[in-house]
Every structure is written in structure tokens, then in C-alpha cells.
Amino acid sequence: MVPNEGQLRDVRPALVFMSGELIAVPIPLEREEVILGRAFEADVRVNDSKVSRNHAKIVTRESDGKAEYILSDMGSRNGTYVNGERVTEHFLEHGDKITIGEQILRFDMLDEIDREYQRQIHRLISHDDLTGLLSSRSFFSELRRESAKARAENRRFCVLMMDVDHFKNVNDKYGHLTGSRTLEEIGACIVSVMRSGDAASRFGGEEFSAFLLDADLPQAMVAAERIRTVVEKKAFTVIRHGAPGETHSVTISIGIATFPDDSVDPIELVEMADSALYRAKREGRNRVCAYRKLSPEEMAKELPRRTD
């Protein structure tokens, strides 16, 4: 059933991704003309090689006091489809499904409750239930996006791979409830060191990952050492009947790779940081290792203070 706009409060048009990296994300159509495409300057950027730089546009116009939303193909290489049919121009209606490249977006008229619902669905899909950090899939999505942006803007960033040392001992000694609480608290430790714009994920099991924006290797070493120290000093909660207030301790090992010095490929950066992580493990754990060593110039440079 198509909603009656008079029955809903603050109804606004939006595109909702139904597949791909941004699944369930509602994109409000707040401008008279909205460009969909692969270009950085596109209003709705779709990271898909089969999508043209400027693929299609949605124009809003008034007709007899009512808003109309017109989708037009912009001469794209692979075409624009609505409900399975290729179109050059189409008057959009609530529920229409738009396909560009391999991405499907639904045109919806959403009220504020609908929009919040879609955001919550996306959060459930893209974040780890236990820690609230990004899932590994969402982390790779954000990392690919940041790599492309950093390449275009000639910016630096660093990738951290982190693994809790001897985590099996925690589960064996205190039980899985304590193990789960420990992972949750480690996630909070990592977030406490990061700045706005940085991103962290639970990569899998007791392994975490992060990227630090506008950071070179000396800055990343400082941030990683802060994470290591916070975890080492933290009194982690023990969940055990009859032992209120009991705590335990763990340590964490961290590996670092830098963009663009180590690689400009996001997957390779993660592999390099992972290689550095396992070197930290081999060298005794509870330490930070970089994929490459600091140059004499970097070692002599005063390490900049990362600020919030």
C-alpha cells in the first residue's frame, strides 16, 4: 500500500540502498537535482565499476502544487533501470526499484520514524553486536572509500591490526561470559584513543582493526602505543557468581602499515599490518611493530600530538 503523505509527518523522498556496501542506508533527496554516479563529486556516490561517473540524476519539480521526482539517465555506459526495465526518463513513485551497475536503490517517501528505522537496520548490519565497532565487511568498505579519497587528495593514513595476547586463557580460566565482556571492554579502550573520523572494527574473534586518518607512521606509533598501554593497565571485568568486583588483565599486540608509503592498495595494507602484528607476537607480544622501520628522519622528528 502506498502511504498517504497526509497521514505521515515530515514525509521526505529518499533513496534506500538494497544491496552493496551501503545496504539499508537512507539517502535523503534534499536538492532539486541529485546526481548518482561513481564520481567523487556525485551527490549519491556509488562505488561500482559498472556505474558511470555521472550515471543518472533525479530532478524535483512542482506540478499543480505537488512534487514530482523525475529520474533521467545521463548517457551512462550500462544504462539505468527501474523495476527491471531500462529507462531514459521515469517519473518515480514510492517503492520503485532503481538499478545502476550492480547496485539496487529503492525510491521511498519516508517519515522520521521510517528514516530512523532504516538507520537502525543499517547499524545492525554494519556493526558488531558485541562491541558496537564496525564489522570486518564494513571496515573494508570504509577503508576502500578512504583509500580512494586519500589518493585523490594526496593524504596519508595508517592501518592498525590488533590481537589480544593469549585470549584463550581468559575463556579457559574465567569462562566465555568474561571473555565476551573483555572483548567489549577492549573495543571501548581502542575507541577511547581514536579521534573523530578514525574507524575501528572487530575483525574477527579477538582480533581488531582500525585506520587513523591524516596520520603518518610516527603518529600511528604514538596512537598504537597508547592503545597498548590503556589495555595493559585496564582492570577487566570478571563475570563469576560469588566474586563481585573481581578483575583480570590482558595485553594486546599491534601491527601498523601506512598509506601510501607501504602500499596504496587497501587489501595489501591490511595484509602488511597483519604481517607486522605477527612479528610483534613473535618478538614477545604486548608490543607495537610497524611493517617498515622508522627512518632516521622520522625517529629524529618530534612526534606530533594527535588531538581530538
Side-chain angles (χ1 to χ4, degrees), residues 48-214:
D48 184 329
S49 61
K50 294 183 179 180
V51 173
S52 299
R53 289 181 56 79
N54 293 310
H55 194 104
K57 65 181 179 181
I58 297 175
V59 175
T60 303
R61 74 181 187 193
E62 293 289 330
S63 177
D64 297 327
K66 182 180 179 181
E68 294 180 334
Y69 306 96
I70 305 158
L71 172 70
S72 301
D73 185 80
M74 299 178 69
S76 65
R77 182 176 70 253
N78 294 311
T80 300
Y81 295 79
V82 176
N83 301 328
E85 296 186 4
R86 187 164 184 167
V87 300
T88 55
E89 185 175 282
H90 181 85
F91 285 77
L92 291 169
E93 297 182 1
H94 175 80
D96 278 347
K97 296 176 179 62
I98 303 166
T99 303
I100 58 174
E102 296 183 349
Q103 310 301 312
I104 302 174
L105 303 93
R106 189 179 64 234
F107 176 78
D108 279 342
M109 300 299 296
L110 304 178
D111 67 5
E112 64 269 31
I113 297 174
D114 294 325
R115 291 192 294 273
E116 179 59 26
Y117 173 75
Q118 293 294 157
R119 285 190 288 267
Q120 291 296 331
I121 291 295
H122 176 67
R123 179 170 179 80
L124 288 172
I125 293 171
S126 62
H127 288 72
D128 173 59
D129 288 342
L130 179 64
T131 64
L133 301 179
L134 292 173
S135 65
S136 58
R137 177 179 177 180
S138 295
F139 177 79
F140 275 115
S141 171
E142 294 294 328
L143 183 59
R144 283 192 292 268
R145 189 174 295 111
E146 182 56 36
S147 296
K149 187 175 181 180
R151 191 180 298 115
E153 298 178 358
N154 194 28
R155 294 166 54 190
R156 293 177 174 273
F157 69 89
C158 295
V159 172
L160 276 57
M161 293 296 292
M162 300 165 271
D163 190 79
V164 184
D165 300 323
H166 300 300
F167 183 71
K168 184 176 182 297
N169 293 345
V170 176
N171 284 329
D172 290 346
K173 184 174 181 179
Y174 300 106
H176 288 278
L177 286 177
T178 294
S180 295
R181 176 64 65 84
T182 300
L183 293 175
E184 184 180 358
E185 293 176 342
I186 288 173
C189 289
I190 294 169
V191 170
S192 73
V193 173
M194 298 175 69
R195 304 167 302 174
S196 175
D198 297 342
S201 81
R202 183 182 175 197
F203 205 75
E206 64 269 23
E207 195 168 19
F208 297 82
S209 60
F211 64 75
L212 312 178
L213 299 182
D214 298 312

Side-chain angles (χ1 to χ4, degrees), residues 3 13 23 26-28 37 70 100 137 151 228 234 279-280 299:
I23 186 168
I27 309 295
I70 305 158
I100 58 174
R137 177 179 177 180
R151 191 180 298 115
R228 188 202 66 77
K234 168 76 173 174
R279 180 155 54 86
M299 293 180 67

Side-chain angles (χ1 to χ4, degrees), residues 207-256:
E207 195 168 19
F208 297 82
S209 60
F211 64 75
L212 312 178
L213 299 182
D214 298 312
D216 57 18
L217 181 54
Q219 292 170 307
M221 293 288 288
V222 170
E225 182 61 25
R226 287 177 181 168
I227 292 172
R228 188 202 66 77
T229 301
V230 168
V231 171
E232 182 182 39
K233 293 181 176 180
K234 168 76 173 174
F236 290 94
T237 304
V238 171
I239 301 177
R240 186 156 56 186
H241 181 68
E246 184 179 1
T247 63
H248 73 100
S249 61
V250 295
T251 59
I252 195 167
S253 299
I254 304 175
I256 304 171

